[in-house]
Amino acid sequence: MRERDALLLTRFTGRRYSFPEVLRTLAMTPPEMQDPPGKAPAASSKGAPRSFVLRFISGKYQGGEFPVTPDKPIVVGRSSDLDMVLVEDMVSRKHARIAMQSDQIWIEDLGSTNGTFVNGEKIKRGRLKEGDRVLIGTSILKLIAGDGASDNTDAKMQLENVAAARRGSQQRTMSGSIEEVPLPDLLQLFGTSKKSGVLVIRTHDEDAGRIFMRKGVIYHASINESDDVPAMKSIYRMLTWEKGLFDLDPADPRELPNEINVSVQEVLMEGMRQLDEFNQLRDSLPDMKARITIMLPLVAPLRDLKPEQLDILQLVHNYGHIDAVLNKATATDLDTLQGLVKLMKASYIRTE
């Protein structure tokens, strides 16, 4: 598990860590004071603090923004007399406090029932950096640079207007873009906050993936409601998706066949390993919907192939499309794609 821990930290920080570095980092800093990954706020060239805003990128207030200004703490909660009012059951009356002091922004949980999360980690108190994502209730907020043009009163009114508009359009409570909140980050947030529901991801290619969760644990997954692709394989495939929209639908009361029971951490450890290798292979891959056939005449000797390569060759012969081969293969998508690339390079198969 050591290399996988280092790989996961690398995925969420953007810098490659060795496992000893992971241990040193975690050992030197108490968990409640660890800085979440991101870009630290910096002073402007004139020496004045930069302006920042919290942008709602998911939830009933999606699209709204709230300014973060020096020496003006923001108290967040359900109570109407607070600075940032989030009217929903999962938000406590007085939930969290955000304050900018000099060039540092700090967030503190105020003993809320459901907790405050930064980049998927439950915090008591921690420092925020540009790009960090905060989960409060069903709202995901992202800290971004701002222009300092609005004040808290205007922002409070704007959030009310945004919520009213979303109610009028009957949009789901929790939705957004996986370009804004990548799927691994979403799963981390939902797993740590023990959410229940069906996470639905729709790509621009009209694929629809569903990940079923009970109290933060994944128990089923599917793509396009197909029974051909097992749940774990579906999840790992969805982790490769980079563009699309997500919604968190209510929990599905049905008992589903072949249920699994895996934590988000387990999925991400293996999923990030596969995603890293998939990205290295990406430039060698044809279009996933391409037609693929066996070379005729077949000059390369079959006796040189391993049993798993012969299995892939048979799937190519039987189904003739890369996406169908991936769906029917018992191996992971990564192993099957690696096998297809080797067979193409050795002139056993070709795409049309």
Side-chain angles (χ1 to χ4, degrees), residues 109-142:
D109 184 81
L110 299 177
S112 66
T113 302
N114 293 299
T116 302
F117 301 83
V118 177
N119 297 330
E121 297 295 328
K122 190 172 186 179
I123 59 99
K124 292 182 179 178
R125 184 172 185 266
R127 185 176 161 197
L128 288 180
K129 303 174 186 177
E130 185 178 352
D132 283 350
R133 300 180 184 93
V134 179
L135 175 67
I136 296 176
T138 63
S139 292
I140 302 176
L141 304 85
K142 184 176 181 179

PDB file of all heavy atoms in Angstrom, residues 109-142:
ATOM      1  N   ASP A 109     -14.499  24.845  11.845  1.00  0.00           N
ATOM      2  CA  ASP A 109     -15.817  24.264  12.094  1.00  0.00           C
ATOM      3  C   ASP A 109     -16.284  24.672  13.485  1.00  0.00           C
ATOM      4  O   ASP A 109     -15.507  24.657  14.441  1.00  0.00           O
ATOM      5  CB  ASP A 109     -15.761  22.732  11.984  1.00  0.00           C
ATOM      6  CG  ASP A 109     -17.116  22.092  12.142  1.00  0.00           C
ATOM      7  OD1 ASP A 109     -17.875  22.065  11.155  1.00  0.00           O
ATOM      8  OD2 ASP A 109     -17.436  21.638  13.253  1.00  0.00           O
ATOM      9  N   LEU A 110     -17.534  25.051  13.608  1.00  0.00           N
ATOM     10  CA  LEU A 110     -18.063  25.548  14.881  1.00  0.00           C
ATOM     11  C   LEU A 110     -18.885  24.489  15.603  1.00  0.00           C
ATOM     12  O   LEU A 110     -19.915  24.790  16.200  1.00  0.00           O
ATOM     13  CB  LEU A 110     -18.896  26.813  14.629  1.00  0.00           C
ATOM     14  CG  LEU A 110     -18.134  27.991  13.998  1.00  0.00           C
ATOM     15  CD1 LEU A 110     -19.072  29.156  13.723  1.00  0.00           C
ATOM     16  CD2 LEU A 110     -16.973  28.420  14.884  1.00  0.00           C
ATOM     17  N   GLY A 111     -18.414  23.256  15.555  1.00  0.00           N
ATOM     18  CA  GLY A 111     -19.116  22.171  16.238  1.00  0.00           C
ATOM     19  C   GLY A 111     -20.365  21.732  15.494  1.00  0.00           C
ATOM     20  O   GLY A 111     -21.347  21.300  16.118  1.00  0.00           O
ATOM     21  N   SER A 112     -20.343  21.802  14.163  1.00  0.00           N
ATOM     22  CA  SER A 112     -21.519  21.453  13.370  1.00  0.00           C
ATOM     23  C   SER A 112     -21.843  19.963  13.481  1.00  0.00           C
ATOM     24  O   SER A 112     -20.973  19.140  13.786  1.00  0.00           O
ATOM     25  CB  SER A 112     -21.282  21.803  11.899  1.00  0.00           C
ATOM     26  OG  SER A 112     -20.248  20.994  11.359  1.00  0.00           O
ATOM     27  N   THR A 113     -23.091  19.627  13.217  1.00  0.00           N
ATOM     28  CA  THR A 113     -23.527  18.227  13.295  1.00  0.00           C
ATOM     29  C   THR A 113     -22.919  17.378  12.189  1.00  0.00           C
ATOM     30  O   THR A 113     -22.438  16.265  12.423  1.00  0.00           O
ATOM     31  CB  THR A 113     -25.062  18.142  13.211  1.00  0.00           C
ATOM     32  OG1 THR A 113     -25.630  18.912  14.272  1.00  0.00           O
ATOM     33  CG2 THR A 113     -25.532  16.698  13.319  1.00  0.00           C
ATOM     34  N   ASN A 114     -22.906  17.894  10.967  1.00  0.00           N
ATOM     35  CA  ASN A 114     -22.466  17.106   9.810  1.00  0.00           C
ATOM     36  C   ASN A 114     -21.052  17.408   9.346  1.00  0.00           C
ATOM     37  O   ASN A 114     -20.566  16.799   8.403  1.00  0.00           O
ATOM     38  CB  ASN A 114     -23.451  17.317   8.649  1.00  0.00           C
ATOM     39  CG  ASN A 114     -24.810  16.722   8.952  1.00  0.00           C
ATOM     40  OD1 ASN A 114     -24.944  15.526   9.162  1.00  0.00           O
ATOM     41  ND2 ASN A 114     -25.827  17.566   9.008  1.00  0.00           N
ATOM     42  N   GLY A 115     -20.376  18.364   9.976  1.00  0.00           N
ATOM     43  CA  GLY A 115     -18.967  18.591   9.689  1.00  0.00           C
ATOM     44  C   GLY A 115     -18.702  19.544   8.544  1.00  0.00           C
ATOM     45  O   GLY A 115     -19.572  19.859   7.726  1.00  0.00           O
ATOM     46  N   THR A 116     -17.448  19.994   8.484  1.00  0.00           N
ATOM     47  CA  THR A 116     -16.942  20.859   7.422  1.00  0.00           C
ATOM     48  C   THR A 116     -15.765  20.149   6.773  1.00  0.00           C
ATOM     49  O   THR A 116     -14.902  19.617   7.474  1.00  0.00           O
ATOM     50  CB  THR A 116     -16.496  22.215   7.998  1.00  0.00           C
ATOM     51  OG1 THR A 116     -17.600  22.829   8.670  1.00  0.00           O
ATOM     52  CG2 THR A 116     -15.987  23.144   6.911  1.00  0.00           C
ATOM     53  N   PHE A 117     -15.709  20.151   5.431  1.00  0.00           N
ATOM     54  CA  PHE A 117     -14.706  19.379   4.706  1.00  0.00           C
ATOM     55  C   PHE A 117     -13.956  20.277   3.736  1.00  0.00           C
ATOM     56  O   PHE A 117     -14.549  21.103   3.040  1.00  0.00           O
ATOM     57  CB  PHE A 117     -15.379  18.240   3.931  1.00  0.00           C
ATOM     58  CG  PHE A 117     -16.146  17.292   4.814  1.00  0.00           C
ATOM     59  CD1 PHE A 117     -17.442  17.595   5.210  1.00  0.00           C
ATOM     60  CD2 PHE A 117     -15.575  16.119   5.262  1.00  0.00           C
ATOM     61  CE1 PHE A 117     -18.162  16.726   6.036  1.00  0.00           C
ATOM     62  CE2 PHE A 117     -16.271  15.248   6.089  1.00  0.00           C
ATOM     63  CZ  PHE A 117     -17.567  15.558   6.475  1.00  0.00           C
ATOM     64  N   VAL A 118     -12.641  20.113   3.705  1.00  0.00           N
ATOM     65  CA  VAL A 118     -11.792  20.838   2.759  1.00  0.00           C
ATOM     66  C   VAL A 118     -11.043  19.806   1.918  1.00  0.00           C
ATOM     67  O   VAL A 118     -10.302  18.981   2.456  1.00  0.00           O
ATOM     68  CB  VAL A 118     -10.795  21.765   3.490  1.00  0.00           C
ATOM     69  CG1 VAL A 118      -9.871  22.442   2.480  1.00  0.00           C
ATOM     70  CG2 VAL A 118     -11.530  22.806   4.312  1.00  0.00           C
ATOM     71  N   ASN A 119     -11.279  19.833   0.609  1.00  0.00           N
ATOM     72  CA  ASN A 119     -10.652  18.873  -0.305  1.00  0.00           C
ATOM     73  C   ASN A 119     -10.855  17.434   0.152  1.00  0.00           C
ATOM     74  O   ASN A 119      -9.955  16.599   0.057  1.00  0.00           O
ATOM     75  CB  ASN A 119      -9.169  19.182  -0.475  1.00  0.00           C
ATOM     76  CG  ASN A 119      -8.926  20.536  -1.104  1.00  0.00           C
ATOM     77  OD1 ASN A 119      -9.729  21.017  -1.888  1.00  0.00           O
ATOM     78  ND2 ASN A 119      -7.823  21.166  -0.749  1.00  0.00           N
ATOM     79  N   GLY A 120     -12.058  17.153   0.658  1.00  0.00           N
ATOM     80  CA  GLY A 120     -12.398  15.792   1.051  1.00  0.00           C
ATOM     81  C   GLY A 120     -11.996  15.409   2.457  1.00  0.00           C
ATOM     82  O   GLY A 120     -12.297  14.315   2.900  1.00  0.00           O
ATOM     83  N   GLU A 121     -11.307  16.290   3.185  1.00  0.00           N
ATOM     84  CA  GLU A 121     -10.870  15.983   4.540  1.00  0.00           C
ATOM     85  C   GLU A 121     -11.708  16.751   5.555  1.00  0.00           C
ATOM     86  O   GLU A 121     -11.893  17.964   5.428  1.00  0.00           O
ATOM     87  CB  GLU A 121      -9.388  16.346   4.728  1.00  0.00           C
ATOM     88  CG  GLU A 121      -8.433  15.549   3.854  1.00  0.00           C
ATOM     89  CD  GLU A 121      -8.423  14.069   4.196  1.00  0.00           C
ATOM     90  OE1 GLU A 121      -8.615  13.734   5.384  1.00  0.00           O
ATOM     91  OE2 GLU A 121      -8.221  13.258   3.281  1.00  0.00           O
ATOM     92  N   LYS A 122     -12.211  16.046   6.556  1.00  0.00           N
ATOM     93  CA  LYS A 122     -12.978  16.701   7.619  1.00  0.00           C
ATOM     94  C   LYS A 122     -12.023  17.503   8.492  1.00  0.00           C
ATOM     95  O   LYS A 122     -10.986  16.996   8.919  1.00  0.00           O
ATOM     96  CB  LYS A 122     -13.721  15.657   8.445  1.00  0.00           C
ATOM     97  CG  LYS A 122     -14.738  16.250   9.419  1.00  0.00           C
ATOM     98  CD  LYS A 122     -15.558  15.146  10.063  1.00  0.00           C
ATOM     99  CE  LYS A 122     -16.670  15.743  10.928  1.00  0.00           C
ATOM    100  NZ  LYS A 122     -17.503  14.675  11.538  1.00  0.00           N
ATOM    101  N   ILE A 123     -12.352  18.761   8.744  1.00  0.00           N
ATOM    102  CA  ILE A 123     -11.421  19.614   9.490  1.00  0.00           C
ATOM    103  C   ILE A 123     -12.105  20.222  10.722  1.00  0.00           C
ATOM    104  O   ILE A 123     -13.332  20.358  10.776  1.00  0.00           O
ATOM    105  CB  ILE A 123     -10.862  20.752   8.592  1.00  0.00           C
ATOM    106  CG1 ILE A 123     -11.993  21.639   8.022  1.00  0.00           C
ATOM    107  CG2 ILE A 123     -10.038  20.167   7.457  1.00  0.00           C
ATOM    108  CD1 ILE A 123     -12.219  22.904   8.751  1.00  0.00           C
ATOM    109  N   LYS A 124     -11.278  20.557  11.699  1.00  0.00           N
ATOM    110  CA  LYS A 124     -11.724  21.398  12.807  1.00  0.00           C
ATOM    111  C   LYS A 124     -11.286  22.837  12.532  1.00  0.00           C
ATOM    112  O   LYS A 124     -12.046  23.770  12.719  1.00  0.00           O
ATOM    113  CB  LYS A 124     -11.130  20.897  14.124  1.00  0.00           C
ATOM    114  CG  LYS A 124     -11.664  19.547  14.564  1.00  0.00           C
ATOM    115  CD  LYS A 124     -11.069  19.134  15.904  1.00  0.00           C
ATOM    116  CE  LYS A 124     -11.639  17.787  16.356  1.00  0.00           C
ATOM    117  NZ  LYS A 124     -11.016  17.350  17.645  1.00  0.00           N
ATOM    118  N   ARG A 125     -10.046  22.967  12.119  1.00  0.00           N
ATOM    119  CA  ARG A 125      -9.524  24.271  11.725  1.00  0.00           C
ATOM    120  C   ARG A 125      -8.416  24.042  10.704  1.00  0.00           C
ATOM    121  O   ARG A 125      -7.617  23.123  10.847  1.00  0.00           O
ATOM    122  CB  ARG A 125      -8.975  25.029  12.931  1.00  0.00           C
ATOM    123  CG  ARG A 125      -8.492  26.454  12.600  1.00  0.00           C
ATOM    124  CD  ARG A 125      -8.145  27.222  13.875  1.00  0.00           C
ATOM    125  NE  ARG A 125      -7.798  28.602  13.580  1.00  0.00           N
ATOM    126  CZ  ARG A 125      -6.552  29.045  13.392  1.00  0.00           C
ATOM    127  NH1 ARG A 125      -5.525  28.203  13.470  1.00  0.00           N
ATOM    128  NH2 ARG A 125      -6.326  30.314  13.125  1.00  0.00           N
ATOM    129  N   GLY A 126      -8.393  24.844   9.663  1.00  0.00           N
ATOM    130  CA  GLY A 126      -7.363  24.672   8.655  1.00  0.00           C
ATOM    131  C   GLY A 126      -7.236  25.912   7.797  1.00  0.00           C
ATOM    132  O   GLY A 126      -8.108  26.789   7.779  1.00  0.00           O
ATOM    133  N   ARG A 127      -6.147  25.982   7.069  1.00  0.00           N
ATOM    134  CA  ARG A 127      -5.874  27.120   6.202  1.00  0.00           C
ATOM    135  C   ARG A 127      -6.382  26.833   4.797  1.00  0.00           C
ATOM    136  O   ARG A 127      -6.215  25.729   4.280  1.00  0.00           O
ATOM    137  CB  ARG A 127      -4.367  27.377   6.182  1.00  0.00           C
ATOM    138  CG  ARG A 127      -3.956  28.624   5.407  1.00  0.00           C
ATOM    139  CD  ARG A 127      -2.469  28.825   5.547  1.00  0.00           C
ATOM    140  NE  ARG A 127      -1.948  29.697   4.506  1.00  0.00           N
ATOM    141  CZ  ARG A 127      -0.673  29.786   4.186  1.00  0.00           C
ATOM    142  NH1 ARG A 127       0.208  29.040   4.834  1.00  0.00           N
ATOM    143  NH2 ARG A 127      -0.275  30.603   3.246  1.00  0.00           N
ATOM    144  N   LEU A 128      -7.020  27.836   4.178  1.00  0.00           N
ATOM    145  CA  LEU A 128      -7.515  27.705   2.819  1.00  0.00           C
ATOM    146  C   LEU A 128      -6.554  28.346   1.840  1.00  0.00           C
ATOM    147  O   LEU A 128      -5.952  29.382   2.138  1.00  0.00           O
ATOM    148  CB  LEU A 128      -8.885  28.383   2.677  1.00  0.00           C
ATOM    149  CG  LEU A 128     -10.085  27.713   3.335  1.00  0.00           C
ATOM    150  CD1 LEU A 128     -11.340  28.526   3.075  1.00  0.00           C
ATOM    151  CD2 LEU A 128     -10.263  26.290   2.820  1.00  0.00           C
ATOM    152  N   LYS A 129      -6.445  27.730   0.669  1.00  0.00           N
ATOM    153  CA  LYS A 129      -5.598  28.251  -0.390  1.00  0.00           C
ATOM    154  C   LYS A 129      -6.408  28.342  -1.677  1.00  0.00           C
ATOM    155  O   LYS A 129      -7.428  27.658  -1.821  1.00  0.00           O
ATOM    156  CB  LYS A 129      -4.378  27.340  -0.596  1.00  0.00           C
ATOM    157  CG  LYS A 129      -3.545  27.153   0.657  1.00  0.00           C
ATOM    158  CD  LYS A 129      -2.459  26.131   0.426  1.00  0.00           C
ATOM    159  CE  LYS A 129      -1.712  25.839   1.731  1.00  0.00           C
ATOM    160  NZ  LYS A 129      -0.695  24.784   1.541  1.00  0.00           N
ATOM    161  N   GLU A 130      -5.959  29.159  -2.594  1.00  0.00           N
ATOM    162  CA  GLU A 130      -6.667  29.338  -3.850  1.00  0.00           C
ATOM    163  C   GLU A 130      -6.851  27.993  -4.546  1.00  0.00           C
ATOM    164  O   GLU A 130      -5.904  27.220  -4.704  1.00  0.00           O
ATOM    165  CB  GLU A 130      -5.900  30.309  -4.761  1.00  0.00           C
ATOM    166  CG  GLU A 130      -6.652  30.633  -6.045  1.00  0.00           C
ATOM    167  CD  GLU A 130      -5.901  31.637  -6.905  1.00  0.00           C
ATOM    168  OE1 GLU A 130      -4.880  32.198  -6.433  1.00  0.00           O
ATOM    169  OE2 GLU A 130      -6.322  31.842  -8.058  1.00  0.00           O
ATOM    170  N   GLY A 131      -8.077  27.722  -4.974  1.00  0.00           N
ATOM    171  CA  GLY A 131      -8.388  26.458  -5.642  1.00  0.00           C
ATOM    172  C   GLY A 131      -8.957  25.405  -4.718  1.00  0.00           C
ATOM    173  O   GLY A 131      -9.483  24.390  -5.191  1.00  0.00           O
ATOM    174  N   ASP A 132      -8.876  25.610  -3.403  1.00  0.00           N
ATOM    175  CA  ASP A 132      -9.411  24.624  -2.465  1.00  0.00           C
ATOM    176  C   ASP A 132     -10.931  24.562  -2.558  1.00  0.00           C
ATOM    177  O   ASP A 132     -11.600  25.551  -2.857  1.00  0.00           O
ATOM    178  CB  ASP A 132      -9.009  24.975  -1.028  1.00  0.00           C
ATOM    179  CG  ASP A 132      -7.568  24.612  -0.718  1.00  0.00           C
ATOM    180  OD1 ASP A 132      -6.949  23.930  -1.546  1.00  0.00           O
ATOM    181  OD2 ASP A 132      -7.066  25.018   0.344  1.00  0.00           O
ATOM    182  N   ARG A 133     -11.463  23.377  -2.268  1.00  0.00           N
ATOM    183  CA  ARG A 133     -12.908  23.164  -2.294  1.00  0.00           C
ATOM    184  C   ARG A 133     -13.412  22.851  -0.892  1.00  0.00           C
ATOM    185  O   ARG A 133     -12.857  22.014  -0.195  1.00  0.00           O
ATOM    186  CB  ARG A 133     -13.263  22.018  -3.244  1.00  0.00           C
ATOM    187  CG  ARG A 133     -12.834  22.273  -4.691  1.00  0.00           C
ATOM    188  CD  ARG A 133     -13.218  21.105  -5.577  1.00  0.00           C
ATOM    189  NE  ARG A 133     -12.727  21.287  -6.937  1.00  0.00           N
ATOM    190  CZ  ARG A 133     -11.568  20.828  -7.373  1.00  0.00           C
ATOM    191  NH1 ARG A 133     -10.775  20.161  -6.563  1.00  0.00           N
ATOM    192  NH2 ARG A 133     -11.192  21.043  -8.625  1.00  0.00           N
ATOM    193  N   VAL A 134     -14.489  23.513  -0.515  1.00  0.00           N
ATOM    194  CA  VAL A 134     -15.076  23.367   0.818  1.00  0.00           C
ATOM    195  C   VAL A 134     -16.469  22.771   0.661  1.00  0.00           C
ATOM    196  O   VAL A 134     -17.267  23.244  -0.157  1.00  0.00           O
ATOM    197  CB  VAL A 134     -15.169  24.730   1.536  1.00  0.00           C
ATOM    198  CG1 VAL A 134     -15.818  24.561   2.914  1.00  0.00           C
ATOM    199  CG2 VAL A 134     -13.794  25.361   1.673  1.00  0.00           C
ATOM    200  N   LEU A 135     -16.753  21.720   1.429  1.00  0.00           N
ATOM    201  CA  LEU A 135     -18.083  21.109   1.424  1.00  0.00           C
ATOM    202  C   LEU A 135     -18.775  21.443   2.735  1.00  0.00           C
ATOM    203  O   LEU A 135     -18.295  21.098   3.822  1.00  0.00           O
ATOM    204  CB  LEU A 135     -17.977  19.592   1.254  1.00  0.00           C
ATOM    205  CG  LEU A 135     -19.297  18.811   1.358  1.00  0.00           C
ATOM    206  CD1 LEU A 135     -20.215  19.141   0.188  1.00  0.00           C
ATOM    207  CD2 LEU A 135     -19.043  17.308   1.421  1.00  0.00           C
ATOM    208  N   ILE A 136     -19.901  22.143   2.638  1.00  0.00           N
ATOM    209  CA  ILE A 136     -20.750  22.451   3.793  1.00  0.00           C
ATOM    210  C   ILE A 136     -22.168  22.054   3.406  1.00  0.00           C
ATOM    211  O   ILE A 136     -22.733  22.606   2.463  1.00  0.00           O
ATOM    212  CB  ILE A 136     -20.693  23.941   4.164  1.00  0.00           C
ATOM    213  CG1 ILE A 136     -19.277  24.330   4.615  1.00  0.00           C
ATOM    214  CG2 ILE A 136     -21.700  24.254   5.273  1.00  0.00           C
ATOM    215  CD1 ILE A 136     -19.116  25.811   4.918  1.00  0.00           C
ATOM    216  N   GLY A 137     -22.745  21.083   4.108  1.00  0.00           N
ATOM    217  CA  GLY A 137     -24.056  20.567   3.724  1.00  0.00           C
ATOM    218  C   GLY A 137     -23.968  19.923   2.355  1.00  0.00           C
ATOM    219  O   GLY A 137     -23.164  19.030   2.131  1.00  0.00           O
ATOM    220  N   THR A 138     -24.779  20.390   1.410  1.00  0.00           N
ATOM    221  CA  THR A 138     -24.701  19.879   0.036  1.00  0.00           C
ATOM    222  C   THR A 138     -24.066  20.902  -0.896  1.00  0.00           C
ATOM    223  O   THR A 138     -24.119  20.738  -2.119  1.00  0.00           O
ATOM    224  CB  THR A 138     -26.101  19.512  -0.498  1.00  0.00           C
ATOM    225  OG1 THR A 138     -26.916  20.691  -0.550  1.00  0.00           O
ATOM    226  CG2 THR A 138     -26.771  18.466   0.377  1.00  0.00           C
ATOM    227  N   SER A 139     -23.477  21.943  -0.350  1.00  0.00           N
ATOM    228  CA  SER A 139     -22.837  22.982  -1.162  1.00  0.00           C
ATOM    229  C   SER A 139     -21.332  22.755  -1.234  1.00  0.00           C
ATOM    230  O   SER A 139     -20.688  22.504  -0.211  1.00  0.00           O
ATOM    231  CB  SER A 139     -23.103  24.373  -0.576  1.00  0.00           C
ATOM    232  OG  SER A 139     -24.460  24.725  -0.681  1.00  0.00           O
ATOM    233  N   ILE A 140     -20.786  22.847  -2.449  1.00  0.00           N
ATOM    234  CA  ILE A 140     -19.337  22.821  -2.640  1.00  0.00           C
ATOM    235  C   ILE A 140     -18.921  24.220  -3.073  1.00  0.00           C
ATOM    236  O   ILE A 140     -19.427  24.762  -4.053  1.00  0.00           O
ATOM    237  CB  ILE A 140     -18.907  21.791  -3.698  1.00  0.00           C
ATOM    238  CG1 ILE A 140     -19.389  20.385  -3.312  1.00  0.00           C
ATOM    239  CG2 ILE A 140     -17.390  21.788  -3.855  1.00  0.00           C
ATOM    240  CD1 ILE A 140     -19.084  19.322  -4.355  1.00  0.00           C
ATOM    241  N   LEU A 141     -18.007  24.823  -2.310  1.00  0.00           N
ATOM    242  CA  LEU A 141     -17.507  26.164  -2.583  1.00  0.00           C
ATOM    243  C   LEU A 141     -16.035  26.087  -2.963  1.00  0.00           C
ATOM    244  O   LEU A 141     -15.283  25.298  -2.377  1.00  0.00           O
ATOM    245  CB  LEU A 141     -17.657  27.081  -1.359  1.00  0.00           C
ATOM    246  CG  LEU A 141     -19.037  27.256  -0.748  1.00  0.00           C
ATOM    247  CD1 LEU A 141     -19.352  26.142   0.250  1.00  0.00           C
ATOM    248  CD2 LEU A 141     -19.112  28.596  -0.012  1.00  0.00           C
ATOM    249  N   LYS A 142     -15.625  26.890  -3.923  1.00  0.00           N
ATOM    250  CA  LYS A 142     -14.238  26.916  -4.369  1.00  0.00           C
ATOM    251  C   LYS A 142     -13.657  28.303  -4.122  1.00  0.00           C
ATOM    252  O   LYS A 142     -14.276  29.312  -4.480  1.00  0.00           O
ATOM    253  CB  LYS A 142     -14.159  26.573  -5.860  1.00  0.00           C
ATOM    254  CG  LYS A 142     -12.740  26.472  -6.416  1.00  0.00           C
ATOM    255  CD  LYS A 142     -12.786  26.039  -7.877  1.00  0.00           C
ATOM    256  CE  LYS A 142     -11.390  25.891  -8.475  1.00  0.00           C
ATOM    257  NZ  LYS A 142     -11.447  25.455  -9.891  1.00  0.00           N
TER     258      LYS A 142
END
